[in-house]
Amino acid sequence: MALIVQKYGGTSMGSVERIQNVARRVAKWHAAGHQVVVVPSAMSGETNRLLGLAKEISPQPDPRELDMLASTGEQASSSLLAMALMSQGVAARSYTGWQVPVRTDSSFTKARIKSIDDERIRADLDSGRVVIVTGFQGVDEEGNITTLGRGGSDTSAVAVAASLKAHECLIFTDVDGVYTTDPRVVPEARRMTVVSFEEMLELASLGSKVLQIRSVEFAGKYRVPVRVLSSLTDPLVPLEEEMASGTLITFEEDQQMEAAVVSGIAFSRDEAKVTLLAVPDTPGVAYSILGPVAAANIDVDMILQNQSVAGTTDFSFTVNRNDFARTLDLLNSQIGPAVGATEIVSDDKVCKVSIVGIGMRSHVGVASLMFRTLSEEGINIQMISTSEIKTSVIINDKYMELAVRALHKAFGLDQDKSQEEQA
Ligand code: ADP
Ligand code: ASP
Ligand code: MG
């Protein structure tokens, strides 16, 4: 008997029929003698619908009230799943984040989990029930409902698995694993049977939305075995087959030895770039620019400062597109005049494309192949940043898909269709 946490995403919970299929799959695990905790997302489209209603009332709704609202999607899907299980003869009980409780900090709309009380969950599991814990939500010290950021049910699931020391955390979604890039953009993308934790961390942080970045961080911190797999298969597929499917995030060093130089391509459209022209090239200028940005709780990603000409330099950085308007306001009203910038130029039609691979540590020329590939497509690189296992570029977002496809091919990641057909 093992304790398994299973997370089902929005598409997997998207209709009454799909919820009944989730219940069938969960019932199968339960009947085989396993203890199962299920973490569902809201039904697909529901979180967007709720946030859309809020936006109709106010362009910048109060964050606490947004969390009150957005958390309801998961409460609905969780109770529906409990009912579906009961109607299939399986004892089940659902809990909201505050009932468990899943304690978080008070950063509404992007709260971080601090601790999970597993007493109630364990008692129910021991009495033979399937326990359902709403994804995406928690409660802060003052008793306010919080949510964990878009895609946050992944993090709820891995955090619950960590606190229960679960045997494995299964992330059921609408793809059958983690691919070399988003298969919706590159149909030739290949599923990886294993992906190293470090690569998954980079892929998630650079935009692959198959797992929320914080869920991968949790998995690493608490060594939770996480598997990404499809919820759209026959729910009664044998357990052994299910446990061998999808993509396992591995912490094994030896997997890394066999790793391809580049194992995946990530991309993100959530980018915006700003540049202050002709700021003085003197000590303290970067701090004068980025200090107030940080104080406004705006995350800065890439930063570029050019060689100075006649004592002045151009200073560029990127922020999330959601923070673009606030950043520009701050630059125009406060920072620009304070540092004496002659002009502020901005562009929110940029995107970030990244290549990721542990093999980059030991191979030279990887970044140059990336740059050559982009140049052959006539794509101009606006900014570059590198780390040991990734290289990212900022480019015009109208070239994003072209860049991803060209890089996927150039790094030999396309699956060989002819071989597949022969097999
Ligand atoms: P869920 O609702 O189950 O959480 P998401 O939409 O959040 O599902 O994540 C699954 C989606 O992630 C897939 O449908 C796919 O389009 C996208 N995706 C992006 N990058 C990848 C990747 N490298 N591998 C697999 N899927 C990816
Ligand atoms: N329902 C939330 C969202 O749409 C959380 C999740 O699905 O993981 O972002
Ligand atoms: Mg998701």
Side-chain angles (χ1 to χ4, degrees):
M1 183 188 76
L3 198 165
I4 305 284
V5 174
Q6 304 187 356
K7 180 255 170 176
Y8 290 89
T11 315
S12 318
M13 297 291 293
S15 63
V16 165
E17 292 71 31
R18 290 221 167 135
I19 291 175
Q20 284 166 331
N21 264 342
V22 168
R24 279 186 200 104
R25 197 179 296 272
V26 172
K28 170 186 76 181
W29 282 84
H30 186 254
H34 299 297
Q35 294 189 315
V36 191
V37 179
V38 188
V39 178
S41 289
M43 295 171 77
S44 60
E46 180 62 5
T47 310
N48 285 344
R49 187 186 74 85
L50 293 166
L51 297 177
L53 290 175
K55 279 264 155 71
E56 278 182 40
I57 289 182
S58 155
Q60 277 188 318
D62 180 75
R64 180 190 181 279
E65 299 309 322
L66 266 183
D67 280 359
M68 279 290 284
L69 178 70
S71 62
T72 62
E74 270 71 12
Q75 186 169 337
S77 61
S78 294
S79 48
L80 289 171
L81 179 60
M83 293 173 204
L85 280 160
M86 286 186 232
S87 73
Q88 292 176 28
V90 179
R93 185 173 274 178
S94 67
Y95 292 103
T96 62
W98 63 266
Q99 285 174 317
V100 173
V102 175
R103 295 188 200 284
T104 71
D105 64 18
S106 302
S107 313
F108 296 114
T109 75
K110 49 180 175 199
R112 284 181 180 267
I113 296 179
K114 297 207 295 200
S115 67
I116 294 179
D117 188 340
D118 58 15
E119 205 178 311
R120 259 175 131 162
I121 304 179
R122 283 208 186 273
D124 275 336
L125 288 174
D126 290 343
S127 70
R129 288 196 182 100
V130 167
V131 180
I132 301 161
V133 176
T134 48
F136 184 49
Q137 57 174 269
V139 61
D140 76 0
E141 266 175 27
E142 279 82 51
N144 300 303
I145 292 177
T146 55
T147 66
L148 310 179
R150 298 308 303 267
S153 299
D154 296 332
T155 303
S156 308
V158 179
V160 166
S163 91
L164 292 168
K165 301 196 174 45
H167 175 71
E168 204 164 294
C169 180
L170 305 180
I171 307 281
F172 284 94
T173 181
D174 57 3
V175 269
D176 63 354
V178 179
Y179 277 67
T180 46
T181 194
D182 189 339
R184 284 183 214 241
V185 171
V186 183
E188 292 79 16
R190 268 190 286 122
R191 180 172 65 83
M192 302 184 245
T193 48
V194 291
V195 59
S196 75
F197 160 72
E198 285 169 285
E199 286 170 328
M200 193 62 241
L201 198 60
E202 288 287 6
L203 288 171
S205 82
L206 295 168
S208 298
K209 72 166 190 165
V210 62
L211 285 178
Q212 198 202 36
I213 172 73
R214 285 190 193 155
S215 70
V216 189
E217 287 168 357
F218 255 102
K221 189 165 174 196
Y222 298 99
R223 295 279 150 153
V224 182
V226 173
R227 183 181 296 277
V228 177
L229 67 174
S230 174
S231 71
L232 305 176
T233 56
D234 174 0
L236 300 183
V237 57
L239 289 192
E240 309 72 54
E241 205 176 301
E242 194 146 66
M243 285 307 275
S245 70
T247 302
L248 182 70
I249 300 177
T250 170
F251 303 100
E252 305 275 321
E253 294 282 323
D254 55 348
Q255 297 287 350
Q256 301 175 7
M257 304 300 290
E258 300 159 19
V261 178
V262 165
S263 20
I265 317 261
F267 51 86
S268 158
R269 239 185 248 280
D270 304 335
E271 310 285 324
K273 186 176 88 163
V274 292
T275 304
L276 294 102
L277 296 180
V279 297
D281 189 16
T282 50
V285 167
Y287 177 62
S288 308
I289 296 170
L290 299 177
V293 175
N297 207 9
I298 296 170
D299 278 335
V300 170
D301 184 11
M302 283 195 212
I303 302 170
L304 187 76
Q305 184 178 335
N306 298 330
Q307 172 70 37
S308 67
V309 178
T312 64
T313 179
D314 299 340
F315 190 100
S316 301
F317 61 92
T318 61
V319 295
N320 189 292
R321 233 178 249 185
N322 290 332
D323 291 325
F324 180 56
R326 277 202 307 139
T327 309
L328 266 190
D329 277 353
L330 209 55
L331 288 176
N332 284 317
S333 65
Q334 198 184 320
I335 303 172
V339 297
T342 55
E343 202 183 329
I344 289 159
V345 288
S346 62
D347 187 356
D348 67 346
K349 300 279 180 295
V350 293
C351 68
K352 180 164 68 177
V353 176
S354 311
I355 56 173
V356 173
I358 276 181
M360 286 167 75
R361 276 190 189 134
S362 47
H363 287 76
V364 290
V366 180
S368 77
L369 176 56
M370 179 184 204
F371 305 149
R372 191 176 84 204
T373 307
L374 295 173
S375 85
E376 282 168 2
E377 297 295 339
I379 299 171
N380 185 38
I381 299 171
Q382 303 181 19
M383 289 169 106
I384 300 170
S385 92
T386 62
S387 79
E388 230 188 350
I389 67 162
K390 68 120 208 252
T391 301
S392 302
V393 294
I394 295 286
I395 59 172
N396 187 314
D397 73 357
K398 73 176 176 218
Y399 298 122
M400 189 182 82
E401 300 195 352
L402 174 64
V404 172
R405 276 196 282 268
L407 291 168
H408 197 266
K409 194 169 177 130
F411 284 99
L413 298 173
D414 282 6
Q415 64 174 300
D416 187 341
K417 292 258 174 180
S418 61
Q419 265 183 14
E420 286 249 314
E421 276 154 24
Q422 279 165 20

